[in-house]
Amino acid sequence: MDNRNGDYISRIEIKAMWGHKHIVWNLRPDVNILSGVNGAGKSTILNMVADQLDLLRTGAASNSEEQNVSFVFAPEEAEMVEYDVIRSIDRPLLRSNLMDKIADSNALTELDLQIYSLQRRYLDYQVNVGNRTIECLTSGDPDTVARAAELARPKVMFLDLIDRLFADSGKKIVRESNDLVFDRFGVRLLPYSLSSGEKQLLVIMLTALVMDGRPCVILMDEPEVSLDIDWQQQLIERIREINPNVQIIMTTHSPAVIMNGWMDAVTDVADITVAE
């Protein structure tokens, strides 16, 4: 892992949003939920944060003297964080150069594209966990050998969770496959065949898993879209079960998402906005 990476974002500042608003948002290390009326700027703030993180990752941000979005990471000497942006809307992919580069012709929507990318990361994750497990089992140290089973626990938790949440539709993950494949009453299904809500939930939980327990930031804009009330209520808790070191930064209109103990994590856009 890049040793410049921090554990989470502790502060976000946006200058002159829409030309006249200054945003100063001090963040918690675990969960941060941005609320506000329609048009208050929730999605705009999240998109600006994601765009600036993209620029930092590619090094393009360092070429700009004036940055509208700036961060303070934790620890403060960190220059970056690992992060993922999860898109909720399952729009069809436009025929473009990007789509032409997708090897799987079954990927037809934006959620499919995220699943396609995560499939590769899932394979890498399994290889890394497998290698660490072999090292533990062959170390000869009884304590290290005992820890080998713990390495597989997040994946088992992920598989059990998806099976439980998809139970009403009769779908189960095929555990003998290293790829993501589902079984429904004896019929094999690719993840692209899932409903929009199932795809969305799969993307969110798989993103948490493939970070492999590392500190990371997940940005989500209204993740309740396409999720039923029960899934909304469990969303934050389940993400943090799979990876307790994740920092969640999200927008939502759903009371169900925050009702399980996350009211204190809610910040209204008006409370972090200063008119210029």
Side-chain angles (χ1 to χ4, degrees):
M1 185 180 72
D2 193 330
N3 58 15
R4 300 175 304 164
N5 282 347
D7 295 335
Y8 61 92
I9 303 171
S10 62
R11 182 182 174 95
I12 295 169
E13 187 166 354
I14 302 177
K15 301 176 183 176
M17 188 178 83
W18 298 333
H20 64 281
K21 287 188 175 182
H22 191 125
I23 303 297
V24 179
W25 190 9
N26 294 310
L27 278 70
R28 296 164 37 137
D30 52 0
V31 178
N32 302 271
I33 303 168
L34 197 58
S35 68
V37 298
N38 288 333
K42 301 184 301 297
S43 296
T44 299
I45 291 171
L46 207 70
N47 288 332
M48 292 180 74
V49 168
D51 290 345
Q52 187 65 22
L53 287 172
D54 284 345
L55 291 174
L56 285 173
R57 179 158 58 187
T58 61
S62 60
N63 298 324
S64 174
E65 295 183 1
E66 181 95 19
Q67 298 177 15
N68 284 345
V69 183
S70 60
F71 304 103
V72 176
F73 300 115
E76 289 189 11
E77 61 269 20
E79 301 174 20
M80 187 54 183
V81 288
E82 286 198 66
Y83 71 97
D84 269 284
V85 182
I86 296 176
R87 308 295 183 186
S88 302
I89 306 301
D90 202 21
R91 289 184 289 251
L93 286 172
L94 298 176
R95 176 59 60 180
S96 64
N97 290 334
L98 178 63
M99 189 171 176
D100 290 338
K101 293 177 183 177
I102 301 174
D104 196 330
S105 60
N106 294 293
L108 301 175
T109 71
E110 291 188 8
L111 281 176
D112 290 347
L113 178 59
Q114 293 180 76
I115 291 171
Y116 175 79
S117 175
L118 284 165
Q119 286 264 35
R120 298 181 174 188
R121 294 171 63 186
Y122 183 52
L123 291 173
D124 290 341
Y125 162 80
Q126 293 176 92
V127 170
N128 291 335
V129 170
N131 289 339
R132 295 203 303 273
T133 300
I134 292 172
E135 289 177 7
C136 288
L137 293 175
T138 58
S139 68
D141 180 350
D143 292 335
T144 303
V145 170
R147 286 199 296 269
E150 284 298 303
L151 294 173
R153 192 170 67 87
K155 179 185 174 183
V156 173
M157 186 184 303
F158 163 78
L159 296 173
D160 289 346
L161 172 64
I162 295 299
D163 281 352
R164 189 163 65 251
L165 294 177
F166 289 8
D168 287 345
S169 64
K171 301 183 184 77
K172 291 185 177 181
I173 290 182
V174 178
R175 302 197 181 205
E176 298 78 17
S177 174
N178 290 326
D179 293 319
L180 283 171
V181 182
F182 291 82
D183 178 273
R184 188 183 188 211
F185 308 125
V187 177
R188 295 293 175 97
L189 301 173
L190 293 176
Y192 311 121
S193 301
L194 300 174
S195 69
S196 292
E198 290 169 335
K199 288 180 190 177
Q200 188 176 336
L201 195 66
L202 179 65
V203 165
I204 292 170
M205 298 306 165
L206 190 55
T207 298
L209 177 69
V210 298
M211 281 297 189
D212 202 4
R214 298 188 302 273
C216 63
V217 177
I218 294 181
L219 301 169
M220 298 185 289
D221 190 13
E222 299 184 16
E224 69 270 14
V225 175
S226 299
L227 300 185
D228 68 27
I229 295 296
D230 181 55
W231 289 1
Q232 292 178 35
Q233 291 174 345
Q234 299 184 52
L235 184 64
I236 294 175
E237 180 182 358
R238 300 310 178 198
I239 293 171
R240 291 186 55 77
E241 281 181 356
I242 293 173
N243 186 350
N245 295 311
V246 70
Q247 181 189 40
I248 297 172
I249 303 175
M250 60 181 285
T251 70
T252 186
H253 284 289
S254 170
V257 171
I258 62 177
M259 66 174 49
N260 283 351
W262 297 107
M263 281 295 298
D264 291 344
V266 178
T267 299
D268 194 285
V269 173
D271 293 333
I272 59 173
T273 303
V274 179
E276 294 186 335

Short mmCIF file of all heavy atoms in Angstrom, two decimals, residues 135-163:
data_model
loop_
_atom_site.label_atom_id
_atom_site.label_comp_id
_atom_site.label_asym_id
_atom_site.label_seq_id
_atom_site.Cartn_x
_atom_site.Cartn_y
_atom_site.Cartn_z
N GLU A 135 0.96 -18.85 3.92
CA GLU A 135 2.08 -18.41 4.76
C GLU A 135 1.82 -18.74 6.23
O GLU A 135 2.73 -19.19 6.94
CB GLU A 135 2.31 -16.92 4.58
CG GLU A 135 2.89 -16.53 3.23
CD GLU A 135 3.02 -15.03 3.07
OE1 GLU A 135 2.78 -14.31 4.07
OE2 GLU A 135 3.35 -14.57 1.96
N CYS A 136 0.60 -18.50 6.67
CA CYS A 136 0.27 -18.80 8.07
C CYS A 136 0.36 -20.29 8.37
O CYS A 136 0.93 -20.71 9.38
CB CYS A 136 -1.14 -18.30 8.40
SG CYS A 136 -1.31 -16.52 8.54
N LEU A 137 -0.21 -21.09 7.47
CA LEU A 137 -0.28 -22.53 7.71
C LEU A 137 1.09 -23.19 7.65
O LEU A 137 1.30 -24.25 8.25
CB LEU A 137 -1.22 -23.18 6.69
CG LEU A 137 -2.70 -22.80 6.80
CD1 LEU A 137 -3.50 -23.41 5.66
CD2 LEU A 137 -3.27 -23.24 8.14
N THR A 138 2.02 -22.60 6.91
CA THR A 138 3.35 -23.19 6.77
C THR A 138 4.39 -22.53 7.65
O THR A 138 5.58 -22.85 7.55
CB THR A 138 3.81 -23.12 5.30
OG1 THR A 138 3.82 -21.74 4.87
CG2 THR A 138 2.89 -23.92 4.40
N SER A 139 3.97 -21.62 8.51
CA SER A 139 4.92 -20.87 9.31
C SER A 139 5.54 -21.69 10.44
O SER A 139 6.65 -21.42 10.89
CB SER A 139 4.25 -19.63 9.91
OG SER A 139 3.28 -20.01 10.88
N GLY A 140 4.79 -22.69 10.91
CA GLY A 140 5.27 -23.46 12.05
C GLY A 140 4.99 -22.82 13.39
O GLY A 140 5.23 -23.42 14.45
N ASP A 141 4.49 -21.61 13.38
CA ASP A 141 4.15 -20.90 14.62
C ASP A 141 2.68 -21.20 14.95
O ASP A 141 1.78 -20.87 14.17
CB ASP A 141 4.36 -19.40 14.41
CG ASP A 141 4.02 -18.58 15.65
OD1 ASP A 141 3.45 -19.14 16.60
OD2 ASP A 141 4.32 -17.37 15.67
N PRO A 142 2.41 -21.84 16.10
CA PRO A 142 1.01 -22.21 16.43
C PRO A 142 0.07 -21.01 16.44
O PRO A 142 -1.09 -21.13 16.00
CB PRO A 142 1.14 -22.83 17.82
CG PRO A 142 2.55 -23.30 17.90
CD PRO A 142 3.36 -22.32 17.10
N ASP A 143 0.51 -19.86 16.92
CA ASP A 143 -0.35 -18.68 16.95
C ASP A 143 -0.67 -18.21 15.54
O ASP A 143 -1.80 -17.81 15.24
CB ASP A 143 0.31 -17.55 17.74
CG ASP A 143 0.42 -17.87 19.23
OD1 ASP A 143 -0.40 -18.68 19.71
OD2 ASP A 143 1.30 -17.30 19.89
N THR A 144 0.33 -18.23 14.67
CA THR A 144 0.12 -17.81 13.28
C THR A 144 -0.79 -18.77 12.55
O THR A 144 -1.67 -18.36 11.79
CB THR A 144 1.47 -17.71 12.55
OG1 THR A 144 2.32 -16.80 13.26
CG2 THR A 144 1.29 -17.20 11.13
N VAL A 145 -0.62 -20.06 12.79
CA VAL A 145 -1.48 -21.07 12.17
C VAL A 145 -2.93 -20.87 12.61
O VAL A 145 -3.86 -20.96 11.81
CB VAL A 145 -1.00 -22.49 12.53
CG1 VAL A 145 -2.03 -23.53 12.09
CG2 VAL A 145 0.35 -22.77 11.89
N ALA A 146 -3.13 -20.55 13.87
CA ALA A 146 -4.48 -20.35 14.39
C ALA A 146 -5.16 -19.15 13.75
O ALA A 146 -6.39 -19.09 13.66
CB ALA A 146 -4.43 -20.17 15.91
N ARG A 147 -4.36 -18.18 13.30
CA ARG A 147 -4.94 -16.98 12.69
C ARG A 147 -5.36 -17.20 11.24
O ARG A 147 -6.02 -16.34 10.65
CB ARG A 147 -3.94 -15.82 12.76
CG ARG A 147 -3.79 -15.23 14.15
CD ARG A 147 -3.18 -13.83 14.08
NE ARG A 147 -1.83 -13.86 13.54
CZ ARG A 147 -0.72 -13.98 14.26
NH1 ARG A 147 -0.82 -14.14 15.57
NH2 ARG A 147 0.46 -13.98 13.69
N ALA A 148 -4.96 -18.31 10.66
CA ALA A 148 -5.26 -18.55 9.25
C ALA A 148 -6.76 -18.54 8.98
O ALA A 148 -7.22 -18.01 7.96
CB ALA A 148 -4.65 -19.88 8.81
N ALA A 149 -7.53 -19.14 9.88
CA ALA A 149 -8.99 -19.19 9.69
C ALA A 149 -9.60 -17.80 9.70
O ALA A 149 -10.62 -17.55 9.02
CB ALA A 149 -9.63 -20.05 10.76
N GLU A 150 -9.01 -16.88 10.45
CA GLU A 150 -9.53 -15.52 10.53
C GLU A 150 -9.42 -14.79 9.20
O GLU A 150 -10.20 -13.88 8.91
CB GLU A 150 -8.80 -14.73 11.62
CG GLU A 150 -9.24 -15.08 13.03
CD GLU A 150 -10.71 -14.76 13.26
OE1 GLU A 150 -11.11 -13.59 13.06
OE2 GLU A 150 -11.47 -15.69 13.61
N LEU A 151 -8.43 -15.17 8.39
CA LEU A 151 -8.24 -14.49 7.11
C LEU A 151 -9.42 -14.69 6.16
O LEU A 151 -9.72 -13.82 5.34
CB LEU A 151 -6.95 -15.00 6.44
CG LEU A 151 -5.65 -14.66 7.17
CD1 LEU A 151 -4.47 -15.37 6.51
CD2 LEU A 151 -5.41 -13.15 7.17
N ALA A 152 -10.08 -15.82 6.28
CA ALA A 152 -11.22 -16.12 5.40
C ALA A 152 -12.53 -15.58 5.94
O ALA A 152 -13.55 -15.60 5.24
CB ALA A 152 -11.34 -17.63 5.19
N ARG A 153 -12.53 -15.09 7.16
CA ARG A 153 -13.79 -14.70 7.80
C ARG A 153 -14.54 -13.60 7.06
O ARG A 153 -15.76 -13.70 6.87
CB ARG A 153 -13.54 -14.30 9.25
CG ARG A 153 -14.81 -14.15 10.08
CD ARG A 153 -14.48 -13.98 11.55
NE ARG A 153 -13.81 -12.72 11.80
CZ ARG A 153 -14.45 -11.57 12.03
NH1 ARG A 153 -15.76 -11.54 12.03
NH2 ARG A 153 -13.78 -10.47 12.25
N PRO A 154 -13.88 -12.51 6.59
CA PRO A 154 -14.64 -11.48 5.87
C PRO A 154 -15.32 -12.00 4.61
O PRO A 154 -16.46 -11.62 4.32
CB PRO A 154 -13.56 -10.43 5.54
CG PRO A 154 -12.51 -10.62 6.59
CD PRO A 154 -12.48 -12.10 6.82
N LYS A 155 -14.64 -12.88 3.87
CA LYS A 155 -15.27 -13.42 2.66
C LYS A 155 -16.48 -14.27 3.01
O LYS A 155 -17.53 -14.18 2.35
CB LYS A 155 -14.26 -14.24 1.85
CG LYS A 155 -14.87 -14.84 0.59
CD LYS A 155 -13.91 -15.75 -0.15
CE LYS A 155 -14.60 -16.44 -1.32
NZ LYS A 155 -13.71 -17.39 -2.03
N VAL A 156 -16.34 -15.13 4.02
CA VAL A 156 -17.48 -15.96 4.45
C VAL A 156 -18.63 -15.08 4.91
O VAL A 156 -19.80 -15.34 4.59
CB VAL A 156 -17.04 -16.93 5.56
CG1 VAL A 156 -18.25 -17.67 6.12
CG2 VAL A 156 -16.01 -17.92 5.03
N MET A 157 -18.31 -14.02 5.64
CA MET A 157 -19.34 -13.09 6.10
C MET A 157 -20.05 -12.45 4.91
O MET A 157 -21.28 -12.31 4.89
CB MET A 157 -18.70 -12.01 6.98
CG MET A 157 -19.68 -11.06 7.63
SD MET A 157 -18.81 -9.76 8.55
CE MET A 157 -17.83 -10.76 9.69
N PHE A 158 -19.28 -12.06 3.89
CA PHE A 158 -19.84 -11.47 2.67
C PHE A 158 -20.76 -12.46 1.97
O PHE A 158 -21.90 -12.13 1.59
CB PHE A 158 -18.70 -11.03 1.74
CG PHE A 158 -19.11 -10.78 0.32
CD1 PHE A 158 -19.77 -9.62 -0.04
CD2 PHE A 158 -18.84 -11.73 -0.67
CE1 PHE A 158 -20.15 -9.39 -1.36
CE2 PHE A 158 -19.22 -11.51 -1.99
CZ PHE A 158 -19.88 -10.34 -2.33
N LEU A 159 -20.30 -13.69 1.78
CA LEU A 159 -21.10 -14.70 1.09
C LEU A 159 -22.39 -14.99 1.85
O LEU A 159 -23.47 -15.08 1.25
CB LEU A 159 -20.29 -15.98 0.92
CG LEU A 159 -19.04 -15.89 0.03
CD1 LEU A 159 -18.24 -17.18 0.10
CD2 LEU A 159 -19.40 -15.56 -1.41
N ASP A 160 -22.28 -15.15 3.16
CA ASP A 160 -23.47 -15.42 3.99
C ASP A 160 -24.46 -14.26 3.92
O ASP A 160 -25.68 -14.47 3.85
CB ASP A 160 -23.06 -15.66 5.44
CG ASP A 160 -22.34 -16.98 5.65
OD1 ASP A 160 -22.38 -17.83 4.74
OD2 ASP A 160 -21.72 -17.15 6.72
N LEU A 161 -23.93 -13.04 3.95
CA LEU A 161 -24.79 -11.86 3.91
C LEU A 161 -25.55 -11.77 2.59
O LEU A 161 -26.77 -11.55 2.58
CB LEU A 161 -23.94 -10.60 4.11
CG LEU A 161 -24.66 -9.26 3.92
CD1 LEU A 161 -25.76 -9.09 4.95
CD2 LEU A 161 -23.67 -8.11 3.98
N ILE A 162 -24.85 -11.93 1.48
CA ILE A 162 -25.52 -11.84 0.18
C ILE A 162 -26.57 -12.93 0.05
O ILE A 162 -27.70 -12.69 -0.42
CB ILE A 162 -24.49 -11.92 -0.96
CG1 ILE A 162 -23.56 -10.70 -0.94
CG2 ILE A 162 -25.19 -12.02 -2.31
CD1 ILE A 162 -24.26 -9.37 -1.13
N ASP A 163 -26.24 -14.16 0.46
CA ASP A 163 -27.23 -15.24 0.38
C ASP A 163 -28.46 -14.91 1.22
O ASP A 163 -29.60 -15.17 0.81
CB ASP A 163 -26.61 -16.55 0.88
CG ASP A 163 -25.73 -17.21 -0.16
OD1 ASP A 163 -25.71 -16.74 -1.31
OD2 ASP A 163 -25.06 -18.21 0.18
#
